[in-house]
Amino acid sequence: MRHSTSSRKAVDNSSVTVSGLFKMCAHCERLCKKEIGIRIPRPLGQGPSRFIPETKILQVSKVDSKTQVIFEDTFSTLGRLDNISLVMGFHPQYLESFLKTQHYLLQMDGPLPLDHRHYIGIMAAARHQCSYLVNLHVDDFLQVGGNPKWLNGLEGAPQKLQSLGELNKILAHRPWLITKEHIEHLLKAEDHSWSLAELIHAVVLLTHYHSLASFTFGCGINPEIHCEGGHTFRPPSVSNYCVCDLANGNSSLDEMQSNQLVTDTSCEVEALMEKMKQLQECRDEEEASQEEMATRFEREKTESMLVASTEEEESAPTRDVSRHFEDPSYGYKDFSRRGEHVPTFRAQDYTWEDHGYSLVNRLYPDFGQLLDEKFQIAYNLTYNTMAMHRDVDTSMLRRAIWNYIHCMFGIRYDDYDYGEINQLLDRSFKVYIKTMVCSPEKTTKRMYDSFWRQFEHSEKVHVNLLLMEARMQAELLYALRAITRYMT
Amino acid sequence: MEKMARVTTALGSNAVSGRTMFCHLDAPSNAISVCRDAAQVVVAGRNIFKIYAIEEDQFVEKLNLRVGRKPSLNFSCADVMWHQMDENLLATAATNGAVVTWNLGKPCRNKQDQLFTEHKRTVNKVCFHPTEVYMLLSGSQDGYMKCFDLRKKESVSTFSGQSESVRDVQFSIRDYFTFAASFENGNVQLWDIRRPDRYERMFTAHNGPVFCCDWHPDDRGWLATGGRDKMVKVWDMTTNKAKEIYCVQTIASVARVKWRPERKYHLATCSMMVDHNIYVWDVRRPYIPFATFEEHKDVTTGIVWRHLHDPGFLLSGSKDSTLYQHMFKDATRPVDKANPEGLCFGLFGDLAFAAKESLMSGDSNRKPYGGGDRRYPIFFFKKPDPTEQFANVSSVLNVYETEMENNRMDWFVKTAKLYLLSGKPFAELCDHNAKVAKDLKRPQVSTTWTMLRIMYSDPGNPGVNHGISKVGAIPVMNSFNMKDITVGLGSESRLDRSKGENRPDNIHLDLTNSLMNNNDENEETEGSEGPADYLFGEADLDDDDLYTMEHDNPTEDAEYVLPQEAFPLRHEIVDNPSAPEHLQDKADSPHVSGNEAETVSLTPIESFSLISIAHPQYDSNLSPSFFSPVVHEILQYYAEQGDVQMAVSMLIVLGDRIRKEIDELTQEHLYTSYVDLLQRFELWNVSNEVIKLSTCSAINCLNQASTTLHINCSNCKRPMSNKGWICDRCHQCASICAVCHHVVKGLFVWCQGCSHGGHLEHIMKWLRTKSQCPAGCGHLCEYT
């Protein structure tokens, strides 16, 4: 925490004179061009993430051998080591599985052609206005020989991909509305119909990139140096901060607030641990009635609606991301609203392990296995630590987070007492989760900083992984259930 | 015999009868279980918990156990079991982790008896002890199994599987103390009920979750397991190490498995996803289900044999909200639909063919194979009921040996190697290929090539002129053959002879004879094009057809004649552009003279007269698309003849000239078959060239799939898993260029003699000037 504060001071200073700086650098830039003729790009952000100070992130030179090998692999297969991998490097075990899955998804044998895969990735990321992922995949798309015309917007793409837009939209924001009619519509189109295998591949891609967009925003991933917004041509003498960096909610006000709060919340971790202990102990004694359990789920569901992000900042995507998707007004709408009632998804009736896996593996061989491993690693990942405490069983906390996300998508576990969520997750954490999962583009540094103040950055990244995987699974379950219904 | 006696008494006491029938439930069911007397069945699901009486021809709802205005989650059942000793006792496993017992003897409406809420997660399975009245076992998602004594308020012992979750628990029917538990991580554990601290044994049964297990009702050692990996396995547990004795591969993950009573080798399975049928397998014949029940419209969730000693009735519940009673005699037998026929090629082209004896009788040519009948002769020894076993099929195995000379594909290999498909002007390619075909004694193919060149070449091109001059000696023959090329191969071979050799006269005089010879030759060289005789007959017929057709369409005919004749009198062409009325007049003459040419000997005068007749019809601007239909037909003809090589070669050489005429799918088809053939003959280079030259995207991408090349590190000899140039284990760069001493990351070429090498370019450059190895080892490397 202390580290991050000190580095933020620098931001404060620079923000004061920002307007002057900017003018000057435009000037300098012109000078540069005139005199040398070559513009040397410099990284804009500091390190891979806006939220996590560079010093806290593993340095490539200092990581242990296992992570080193993984990083080398990534570099050799992708030709780059992107910021996402660097941040995930906190959790090498997960990173390995993640990269393997992503590699299989994008590069290995599969029903969809390579350019389609990247284009679907762009579509999915654009849904959340995640310019980072869009830029990355626009480059990849062109590299595998994609038609540049497609990048002008969905209208430029083949009819087949256009028809996927609707599914993309629903899946990203309100997956519970997916019905077998949507699937049928895609599979039964005359000329541009999808095959089941292709559809599964596309669905996996969409969910993967929706959730990855969540992670990107949740961890404040900085643009890559070669992408738009990732570099500047200003000479190094001028400040390293760019306009967009400042626009992303790092106002000095936040800092002062959080500085004050640090002292109040020093006992936060202890309180949380105490609660977990209590729950563990009294679980056997106190028996909530079934009605009580049901209402608790409902309450958690409705409460998740109230937990709305208070900050209504508009983030400005660098590349014109919006042209990749239609209907920008379509966003997350709370699961159960008065008026329209969608039946609750009973987790036990359609589980990933039993049903989802079988379906995916049947239509997209071997991939079910990879996904299964990834989900399991994410769900079971633990170091038995909480902030400064060692040997803590965090399974309860992890389960609460996982189930809370599924709860927001209307998935209910019969065997879970949703009262636990209320006990374990405090409001600022819920705000963060909700924002990140439902409208990740609104995530700000303040949100990131204000939850779990004493926890390590690696633990916050861990939370982000959990959120990402839980979200992906929730979306997948809805999509796969619809496909199953179509098939029967 | 002793067992038989018991069966009869069991059946005698309460005879089970009925028919295939079903009833609608209000909600999807998760599990079903039958009462001991086989007269009632309980159906449990998330929103249903009912008891039905099984009557002669219908199900009758007896009791709804889901009472109360707001049913609690305790009613949401994942599993249900009816006690096999006490017919008033039921147990259910609830999705919220509760284990509930029900006593039907209770006077009030709510029959709930005991409630155990010790499990933290969903309970997947409950199981009563087969002989002990008060003992109940449960297995839950939280990884624990608990044993309850129904006389007490809480569990008597807890077994920890040390694993994610328990999917099934089953008491052994024979061993009083033993039960089996199957786990989500693929393991199966055996426990002794008296020792809750540690399992007796554990083994990995499946890859992925084991959804179900079932003890064999008679054989104490046999346990059947079914898993997400789509397998059903039968384990022999009597030995020290659990031994897999049978394995059945199904088409979907296996949700339930139940041994069939009174049939030692039969078991029923249903699947978790996608597949809605219930299969009964004979584990010894794992490839085809013994019987199938196809009634359900959604996945089957519960199956149970109605009576402990009656193999004829199966009950099943499903997600489609129906409850079925299946009669075994009504089951479909997939084996009846299967063709007991097999076909296989041997290494040297021998063909083995097995078929039903009845089909093969009367075939004088066969020599029955001495292998004998390899089925299970003492199968169902006790009950020789014909409906209860696999139909006996006695089949005959025939082996056809090929004579080496007859079926040689040498021509194919040679042609593939020698053909030029690109890299030269069109006309030269055609000439080259024609020559290749001729050398291989395939005159028809050769002529086709010549023809193609003539059709599509620009007459102004000097290369073409040169080509024509070679053929030009007998223009009449050419003109005649042009007509026939689309139809058959007879006349072309004639052309070839007359053109190729310097003895036109006797051939034409002895026309029939030469045709016959040709026929023989064809059979020899092109084994696959066997029915050459047939074609010759056809060609004659088609000749007639052609005439009539040409009368209707004289212009089309003219164009056949034109190009080659144009040559000797080329200057005239320019002077006399085609006149339509002229054309009409002379339209028929080519065939007339052609016919003459065929019957009468060929004289120079005649041929010249022909030319003069024909030339005015020539139009130097004749568009190549004119020929497209003809060429299309040629292509089709070759493809149908099985000479896909010719078809594809034409396609490639002609390129854009013909491509749009033929639909993508056909092209793709042709390409795939040719590439497949080439690869069988290990003509990798040619196949790659074809793939590269093809314009179908589906074919082109063949070369982009599975392009991985596995290599070992040169230092530690271990496989290099992720990068080609640095080894994970010994952290050394494996491939260093001997010239520049840098790591080679692209193409690496090395000498097979001294195994030194480096960048392709560097080595090329080095060896251009020197002959020794650049590494200084003194080896005289060769670079070719």
Side-chain angles (χ1 to χ4, degrees), chain A residues 68-117:
Chain A
Q68 172 86 28
V69 169
I70 297 169
F71 280 167
E72 280 171 10
D73 281 358
T74 333
F75 188 75
S76 64
T77 49
L78 293 173
R80 62 171 181 247
L81 186 55
D82 50 19
N83 289 342
I84 290 185
S85 307
L86 279 172
V87 174
M88 280 184 189
F90 279 122
H91 306 283
Q93 193 195 1
Y94 174 83
L95 176 65
E96 192 176 9
S97 164
F98 172 84
L99 290 171
K100 207 161 90 187
T101 316
Q102 187 168 268
H103 181 244
Y104 194 91
L105 198 55
L106 290 174
Q107 260 94 35
M108 301 297 275
D109 292 345
L112 287 172
L114 293 180
D115 54 341
H116 278 55
R117 303 183 194 186

Side-chain angles (χ1 to χ4, degrees), chain A residues 7-22:
Chain A
S7 77
R8 278 300 133 205
K9 291 239 166 80
V11 185
D12 296 349
N13 296 340
S14 67
S15 70
V16 181
T17 53
V18 65
S19 52
L21 274 179
F22 189 64

Side-chain angles (χ1 to χ4, degrees), chain B residues 632-685:
Chain B
H632 190 172
E633 267 182 77
I634 301 178
L635 250 171
Q636 255 176 354
Y637 165 78
Y638 278 112
E640 273 163 28
Q641 287 301 305
D643 189 358
V644 71
Q645 180 178 49
M646 181 63 189
V648 172
S649 304
M650 277 172 66
L651 203 58
I652 295 176
V653 170
L654 287 172
D656 285 330
R657 297 174 182 86
I658 190 70
R659 192 170 299 134
K660 355 179 216 325
E661 298 295 321
I662 297 154
D663 66 301
E664 277 277 317
L665 210 69
T666 322
Q667 286 195 32
E668 198 182 314
H669 209 75
L670 289 175
Y671 277 120
T672 21
S673 7
Y674 188 39
V675 166
D676 190 45
L677 264 176
L678 287 172
Q679 289 179 346
R680 269 166 202 262
F681 281 99
E682 302 186 346
L683 296 162
W684 312 112
N685 288 342

